[in-house]
Amino acid sequence: MENLLEVQNLVTEFKTENATVKAVDTVSFTVKKGRTLGIVGESGSGKSVTSLSVMRLIQTPPGRIASGKVLFTEKDGSVTDLLSLPEETMRKYRGNRIAMIFQEPMTSLNPVFTCGDQIIEAIRLHQQVSVAEAERRTLELLEEVQLPRPEQMMKSYPHQLSGGQKQRVMIAMAMSCNPDLLIADEPTTALDVTVQATILDLMRKLQKDHAMSMMFITHDLGVIAEIADDVIVMYKGKIVEQGPVEQIFANPQHPYTKGLLACRPRLDKKLKVLPTVHDFMDEAADGSITERSHDNVDAVVHRLSFTAEEISTRNTELSTLAPILDVSNLEVHFPIKSGLFGRTTGWVKAVDGISFNVKPGETLGLVGESGCGKTTTGRAVLRLVEPTGGSVIFQGKDVRGLGSRELKAMRRDFQIIFQDPYSSLNPRLSVGSAIMETLQVHNVDESERARKDHVLYLLDKVNLLPRHFNNYPHEFSGGQRQRICIARALALKPKLLICDESVSALDVSVQAQVLNLLVSLRDEFKLTYIFISHDLSVVKFLSDRIAVMSAGKIVEMGTATEVYENPTQEYTRNLIDAIPLGTVEDIRKRRADKSAA
């Protein structure tokens, strides 16, 4: 098939105080007309910088495109090197011939303009059309990306839309000039699995309808299996493997690719720990990689799986224990106020009379889409949000009846890990100070020396180094920051830990490491977890029992195996079906359906 884009020996550098870093190191690939190229790798692998280099959006300084060619095939068959064009000419390609969807739509949309105005602006910038024609085209685009009430959406501001709706507006804006190439940079990472599935379906439909080529960037090979025709795998700025998507999944050659395939939580098996990239490869100081294990992915997964007897034994043992937490008819209602005097005209029932219990040492998974009430449930248990009804009994005491002093004392026994570790940490406090602050507030240990020793012990438990004690949050990666939050939560030796979407923003490889850490800490410190997530595969890996929430209610509850293998509710089945499986069979079926269409 004819090439639309050919990248030759691309090198993109960033100059730091101490050295020059090659974020993209001699990368070459092609994007065929009408096909989707998937670019996959961990954060820092160079995949996003590659796409920004193609668009010539590298900020100078500190970055620069040092060498290489980006050859774009024109409609008449001629080839243009985008890197050689004057900036004014390149602007005619951006948004017009090549469009881009960024990872976080809220940072890409202007909060002071309506969504319609922003799409109209993009159309009129590249096409000589009247305002009326641009408005008509905008309405068509909003209908095409399947947004409800397109006329109202045109007049809405970004903050008035959900995450999935904002991403659809970004897709509409990118499609406004019928580009030949659409670059999608992690467009589904922050979305629920069900919303992710609808966005992937939409992008497949748009590509087919417009005969468009696409570069789809993600850290998740499961998503790549859903949408890509060809794949390149990047690691530390280099391409380590590339080929057709079926070949990559059926017979991966590089140990890094094997690691990425293996570290995704499985729905078909219950694993003791998740495989990680480091189970498959060792990296020397000079950057050279050697394969650690010659086993294939299925062999490694089989070795780490629980047997049915082991799962049954653990469930039986847990069922005999008295609950450490008993929640009965819990309600959290928020008032709807309107009018000049702010009178209450209705109520939002975020949590609507739910009941559950958790046994000591057990992990209860709360799963559901955004807005189902799972996060509010976790916060209400800790009284970070005041319940409006029901009871929360923790170790025999009614949490709702405690005064502020008693509640402060009890909070030593239950802690929470939030979704975004960066916003959970004070940027002005070093890591050591942030953890020590918890000990000081609760008067744990008498001397500063003893507190510091305890913090160093905790950092070691979460696989961080003593030298990290004096570092600040911005100096760490997302996975490392989440480890710091886990260390802080463990500082008071709690009995119950609530994990609120604590791995949803992480790369799948880093996610696997954090999930394994939570498993090892649960076993070592005899912790009890309430694990909140929208991803049933993650919840199934960590949980003994699962409660499925929808519209403030628990609609289904059972052991992790029961809920997955025999779901009784359509809502649960939809959550399961929305998870990308990333199997060769699914890839072949999708390719057959595409060929038939």
Side-chain angles (χ1 to χ4, degrees):
M1 300 182 71
E2 188 179 351
N3 294 340
L4 175 68
L5 186 80
E6 182 177 1
V7 175
Q8 297 179 353
N9 300 316
L10 181 66
V11 177
T12 303
E13 301 175 338
F14 289 87
K15 192 171 184 179
T16 67
E17 292 181 1
N18 302 317
T20 298
V21 177
K22 287 186 177 181
V24 178
D25 190 1
T26 323
V27 163
S28 300
F29 61 87
T30 59
V31 180
K32 305 290 186 183
K33 287 188 176 180
R35 289 172 71 87
T36 297
L37 173 71
I39 304 180
V40 67
E42 298 170 288
S43 292
S45 64
K47 55 189 189 296
S48 291
V49 178
T50 299
S51 66
L52 293 172
S53 300
V54 169
M55 295 282 282
R56 281 181 50 186
L57 291 174
I58 299 297
Q59 184 177 355
T60 306
R64 74 183 186 101
I65 300 173
S67 60
K69 293 183 178 181
V70 177
L71 305 178
F72 186 79
T73 304
E74 306 288 355
K75 294 186 183 298
D76 62 3
S78 62
V79 175
T80 301
D81 183 4
L82 299 181
L83 299 186
S84 67
L85 296 177
E87 177 60 27
E88 185 176 345
T89 306
M90 185 63 199
R91 288 197 194 104
K92 297 178 181 178
Y93 283 82
R94 293 195 203 106
N96 189 23
R97 305 293 305 284
I98 306 174
M100 191 165 185
I101 305 168
F102 295 96
Q103 178 173 354
E104 178 45 66
M106 196 61 199
T107 61
S108 305
L109 294 169
N110 192 323
V112 301
F113 290 102
T114 65
C115 296
D117 285 341
Q118 296 183 63
I119 299 174
I120 290 168
E121 180 187 32
I123 293 172
R124 299 199 70 208
L125 183 66
H126 293 287
Q127 300 179 24
Q128 301 300 317
V129 297
S130 65
V131 174
E133 175 62 20
E135 288 177 349
R136 185 192 64 77
R137 174 67 178 142
T138 297
L139 191 61
E140 290 177 351
L141 286 164
L142 294 178
E143 290 174 348
E144 189 173 15
V145 298
Q146 300 168 14
L147 274 167
R149 306 178 304 280
E151 295 87 354
Q152 183 179 331
M153 289 294 172
M154 279 187 69
K155 301 172 184 177
S156 300
Y157 290 87
H159 72 273
Q160 296 175 298
L161 308 184
S162 69
Q165 288 173 332
K166 284 196 283 278
Q167 199 60 281
R168 288 173 187 267
V169 170
M170 283 299 302
I171 293 172
M173 192 182 302
M175 297 297 299
S176 62
C177 296
N178 292 317
D180 299 306
L181 174 64
L182 178 64
I183 301 176
D185 186 5
E186 301 267 15
T188 62
T189 297
L191 304 177
D192 289 355
V193 287
T194 49
V195 181
Q196 172 181 273
T198 60
I199 294 295
L200 292 176
D201 287 341
L202 172 63
M203 296 187 75
R204 280 195 295 263
K205 180 179 183 300
L206 291 173
Q207 183 196 25
K208 183 181 75 171
D209 292 348
H210 294 267
M212 178 178 63
S213 300
M214 188 157 58
M215 284 171 56
F216 194 98
I217 298 165
T218 182
H219 59 79
D220 190 344
L221 272 165
V223 173
I224 287 292
E226 291 286 310
I227 201 163
D229 299 302
D230 307 291
V231 182
I232 63 174
V233 182
M234 293 190 69
Y235 181 68
K236 292 191 174 180
K238 293 180 178 290
I239 294 176
V240 296
E241 187 163 0
Q242 60 182 313
V245 63
E246 185 176 334
Q247 173 188 312
I248 296 294
F249 277 77
N251 189 26
Q253 297 299 306
H254 197 276
Y256 179 69
T257 310
K258 294 179 182 178
L260 287 179
L261 284 168
C263 65
R264 298 177 64 253
R266 301 281 291 257
L267 280 170
D268 57 338
K269 295 181 183 294
K270 178 79 170 175
L271 301 184
K272 299 172 184 176
V273 294
L274 290 171
T276 67
V277 169
H278 299 294
D279 290 325
F280 291 87
M281 70 181 212
D282 289 310
E283 186 173 7
D286 62 358
S288 60
I289 293 172
T290 56
E291 190 165 7
R292 172 176 287 188
S293 170
H294 293 284
D295 289 343
N296 61 32
V297 172
D298 289 338
V300 173
V301 168
H302 179 74
R303 189 167 62 246
L304 297 176
S305 297
F306 280 107
T307 64
E309 291 76 17
E310 289 173 322
I311 297 172
S312 177
T313 299
R314 177 168 170 81
N315 288 337
T316 302
E317 290 173 351
L318 288 171
S319 67
T320 62
L321 301 176
I324 188 175
L325 177 73
D326 199 340
V327 176
S328 180
N329 296 316
L330 183 66
E331 295 180 347
V332 182
H333 298 172
F334 296 105
I336 301 171
K337 296 183 181 292
S338 62
L340 180 63
F341 299 102
R343 289 180 297 181
T344 299
T345 57
W347 296 86
V348 175
K349 296 180 179 180
V351 180
D352 192 14
I354 68 171
S355 300
F356 62 89
N357 61 53
V358 190
K359 308 295 181 68
E362 183 184 32
T363 298
L364 175 71
L366 281 182
V367 66
E369 297 173 294
S370 293
C372 70
K374 58 188 186 296
T375 291
T376 305
T377 298
R379 293 178 181 231
V381 167
L382 301 182
R383 275 185 61 189
L384 296 176
V385 171
E386 286 293 342
T388 52
S391 64
V392 178
I393 308 299
F394 179 70
Q395 293 186 316
K397 292 184 178 180
D398 187 354
V399 176
R400 289 195 65 198
L402 297 179
S404 58
R405 183 173 297 180
E406 295 170 300
L407 182 60
K408 176 182 174 182
M410 181 170 279
R411 280 192 173 142
R412 292 184 60 166
D413 289 331
F414 46 55
Q415 292 287 307
I416 187 168
I417 304 169
F418 295 101
Q419 178 174 358
D420 183 0
Y422 191 68
S423 62
S424 306
L425 296 168
N426 190 330
R428 295 184 178 89
L429 289 181
S430 68
V431 165
S433 299
I435 301 174
M436 283 181 68
E437 183 181 45
T438 307
L439 303 175
Q440 291 161 351
V441 167
H442 289 273
N443 297 314
V444 178
D445 296 325
E446 295 182 359
S447 68
E448 290 298 300
R449 179 69 256 175
R451 287 171 180 160
K452 183 173 182 179
D453 288 342
H454 187 49
V455 172
L456 291 172
Y457 165 79
L458 291 169
L459 291 176
D460 177 66
K461 284 297 176 184
V462 298
N463 301 323
L464 293 173
L465 301 173
R467 63 180 172 82
H468 291 140
F469 184 96
N470 294 315
N471 290 93
Y472 288 84
H474 71 273
E475 299 178 83
F476 295 90
S477 68
Q480 288 174 320
R481 283 197 287 265
Q482 199 60 282
R483 290 170 185 269
I484 294 163
C485 290
I486 292 171
R488 185 176 60 178
L490 292 175
L492 299 173
K493 301 178 181 177
K495 296 181 175 65
L496 173 68
L497 200 56
I498 297 179
C499 304
D500 184 11
E501 298 275 15
S502 53
V503 297
S504 61
L506 304 177
D507 289 355
V508 287
S509 55
V510 179
Q511 174 183 277
Q513 296 168 21
V514 173
L515 289 172
N516 288 343
L517 174 63
L518 290 171
V519 169
S520 65
L521 292 173
R522 179 186 63 188
D523 297 340
E524 181 176 353
F525 294 102
K526 310 301 179 188
L527 294 169
T528 303
Y529 290 150
I530 296 177
F531 191 86
I532 298 168
S533 177
H534 60 78
D535 189 340
L536 195 75
S537 62
V538 172
V539 171
K540 182 178 182 290
F541 162 72
L542 197 65
S543 302
D544 299 294
R545 284 186 300 142
I546 295 175
V548 182
M549 289 193 68
S550 175
K553 296 180 180 292
I554 292 177
V555 297
E556 186 161 358
M557 182 182 287
T559 67
T561 303
E562 288 170 351
V563 169
Y564 170 65
E565 293 184 352
N566 299 296
T568 61
Q569 301 295 315
E570 183 68 23
Y571 179 76
T572 308
R573 286 192 285 271
N574 290 338
L575 285 178
I576 294 170
D577 293 341
I579 300 168
L581 297 180
T583 63
V584 176
E585 291 74 18
D586 281 345
I587 294 170
R588 287 171 179 163
K589 181 178 182 302
R590 177 173 61 81
R591 288 165 67 91
D593 291 344
K594 186 175 179 180
S595 298

